[in-house]
Amino acid sequence: MADEKDFALTTDRPVYVVGGGPGGLAAAAALRQAGIRAVVLEKSESVGASWRRHYDRLRLHTTRRLSGLPGLPMPRSFGRWASRDNVIRYLEKYTEFHELEIVTGVEVSRIERSGPDWLLHATGGRQLTGRAVVVATGFNHTPRLPDWPGRETYAGELLHAGEYRNAAPYAGKDVLVVGVGNTGAEIAVDLVEGGAARVRLAVRTVPHIVRRSTAGWPAQRTGILVRRLPVRLVDRAGAVMCRISVPDLTERGLPRPDTGLYSRVREGAIPVQDVGLIDAVRAGTVEPVAALDSFDDGKAVLADGTRISPDTVIAATGYRRALEDLVGHLGVLDERGRPVTHGGRTSAKAPGLYFTGFTNPISGMFRELAIDARKIARAVSKK
């Protein structure tokens, strides 16, 4: 990695990559392989910062063989589903293997056009000029914690899932997990296995649940095969597969969704990959309940009017991309704050400004990051 002295002497026009997670590292490696100098700017002190903050038991829901970034496969020793710690080791090795130019401790606050180039405003008043910019600040950038009415009256512990590490602090406690995406579902199971006295899972929108692997066939491969097919066809096929592979949990408070699996994916909702939730709900150790609506007099009030008093509320309520200050003035974001282009395509309003890692594909995030990286390198090479 470059130190600040080396960084301060940079006077040429590299491609700047904002963010040292898997997307940024993949883009930098692909650019380097194409003979283009790329400088990665990472605001934390190490690569893979978001992965270092994830809870301990996290594993990739995509297979090791389909999750390698350009130029370096994941080692077979990682097993089929790479653990969080192994992903971090892989990103560190990836940086070393490709001899990537990483500058840590530098945060970019604003990107703007400067003639044919791009001007980046960064930590300490730095102004950096690059021929192109790749924004790879991550899908899970800023925790989103709803401002529930009466939140200040809650007497227990309230935290975002991004602060959760493991179940040890919650052994013997009554915990409400809010949100039934992959994170909420996995934390709920982790709490049960870690000895929590009671675990309830607040559900606003019933999720689609899929087996991570069925008879050795990973759900990721199905996602790759169907992503170009008509939505209605995939919805029908998905409904059949779910009835075959996932039991009806209606009596346990988790009915089957009334919308199609792929229709939901197109709206940005990825299916929950089962890592123990189905068994926990069937056994009654994870109790689905109505959505959290508010707090009142120290109690949590659910959407059906039920009032409960958990010791801890863990909000698995997602993240914001937080791109508005960085590039919002350029007209490159949609109404949800997400880039209107990704990979090798750029907006006509901002040629040379690339985005990667802001979609959540059923075909696998790491796989798509690798594809985007190669497309970005090809696009930059043509300019």
Side-chain angles (χ1 to χ4, degrees):
M1 296 186 183
D3 60 27
E4 289 211 14
K5 181 178 179 182
D6 295 332
F7 176 63
L9 295 175
T10 297
T11 57
D12 58 347
R13 297 165 54 254
V15 174
Y16 282 108
V17 180
V18 185
L25 299 181
L31 287 163
R32 182 178 174 84
Q33 289 173 335
I36 300 167
R37 185 184 176 208
V39 178
V40 178
L41 306 176
E42 168 55 47
K43 69 177 182 180
S44 71
E45 297 306 316
S46 56
V47 299
S50 64
W51 274 88
R52 297 174 194 274
R53 294 192 298 268
H54 285 316
Y55 47 93
D56 295 346
R57 71 171 281 156
L58 178 65
R59 289 181 176 270
L60 281 178
H61 290 164
T62 55
T63 65
R64 167 188 54 81
R65 294 185 63 183
L66 294 174
S67 300
L69 300 178
L72 185 67
M74 285 191 175
R76 292 184 64 182
S77 61
F78 285 8
R80 196 177 199 194
W81 316 103
S83 68
R84 183 204 67 170
D85 289 348
N86 277 337
V87 170
I88 294 169
R89 292 187 187 99
Y90 172 71
L91 296 178
E92 292 172 340
K93 180 63 176 178
Y94 192 82
T95 300
E96 177 186 342
F97 179 82
H98 285 293
E99 300 180 333
L100 300 182
E101 192 172 349
I102 314 288
V103 183
T104 60
V106 174
E107 182 174 9
V108 178
S109 57
R110 184 179 175 89
I111 300 171
E112 58 188 31
R113 196 72 174 162
S114 178
D117 297 325
W118 287 96
L119 179 65
L120 290 75
H121 299 268
T123 303
R126 298 179 179 87
Q127 295 189 357
L128 314 170
T129 301
R131 57 184 287 196
V133 177
V134 180
V135 179
T137 49
F139 193 84
N140 296 337
H141 186 275
T142 302
R144 182 174 62 234
L145 187 65
D147 187 18
W148 287 293
R151 194 173 77 181
E152 68 281 357
T153 71
Y154 176 54
E157 179 187 16
L158 172 63
L159 68 151
H160 188 271
E163 302 174 74
Y164 178 87
R165 293 296 171 268
N166 56 61
Y170 311 101
K173 293 188 176 182
D174 182 337
V175 185
L176 174 68
V177 180
V178 181
V180 67
N182 278 293
T183 297
E186 190 157 0
I187 287 176
V189 173
D190 195 42
L191 288 164
V192 168
E193 294 177 355
R198 186 175 190 180
V199 179
R200 283 174 281 205
L201 184 59
V203 179
R204 183 172 299 280
T205 303
V206 179
H208 285 274
I209 304 175
V210 299
R211 301 286 188 180
R212 187 166 62 177
S213 179
T214 302
W217 179 265
Q220 180 189 9
R221 287 197 178 276
T222 302
I224 294 170
L225 291 174
V226 306
R227 63 178 311 193
R228 304 297 182 190
L229 296 178
V231 173
R232 292 179 64 183
L233 175 62
V234 180
D235 280 348
R236 289 197 294 269
V240 172
M241 286 301 299
C242 284
R243 286 192 177 90
I244 293 172
S245 61
V246 178
D248 187 353
L249 301 172
T250 302
E251 292 186 359
R252 290 292 186 179
L254 205 58
R256 296 191 188 278
D258 57 6
T259 55
L261 184 152
Y262 202 39
S263 294
R264 191 83 66 82
V265 167
R266 296 292 290 270
E267 296 171 359
I270 296 299
V272 172
Q273 297 216 19
D274 178 50
V275 291
L277 180 66
I278 293 173
D279 289 343
V281 171
R282 293 179 75 179
T285 53
V286 170
E287 308 168 49
V289 297
L292 176 61
D293 190 60
S294 63
F295 293 95
D296 182 53
D297 194 25
K299 296 182 182 296
V301 183
L302 306 183
D304 62 3
T306 303
R307 298 164 68 89
I308 61 176
S309 301
D311 300 310
T312 301
V313 174
I314 300 175
T317 46
Y319 295 79
R320 295 186 297 106
R321 312 294 87 78
L323 290 169
E324 288 79 6
D325 291 342
L326 187 68
V327 296
H329 54 286
L330 298 172
V332 294
L333 304 179
D334 64 17
E335 65 281 357
R336 295 185 298 173
R338 300 186 183 188
V340 296
T341 62
H342 73 275
R345 296 182 297 112
T346 62
S347 168
K349 299 177 181 178
L353 180 63
Y354 301 90
F355 295 89
T356 183
F358 296 99
T359 60
N360 197 10
I362 60 173
S363 50
M365 176 67 83
F366 272 54
R367 178 179 181 273
E368 294 303 317
L369 292 176
I371 292 171
D372 279 356
R374 296 185 180 100
K375 289 180 178 179
I376 290 170
R378 286 197 295 270
V380 175
S381 295
K382 294 176 181 178
K383 296 186 180 299

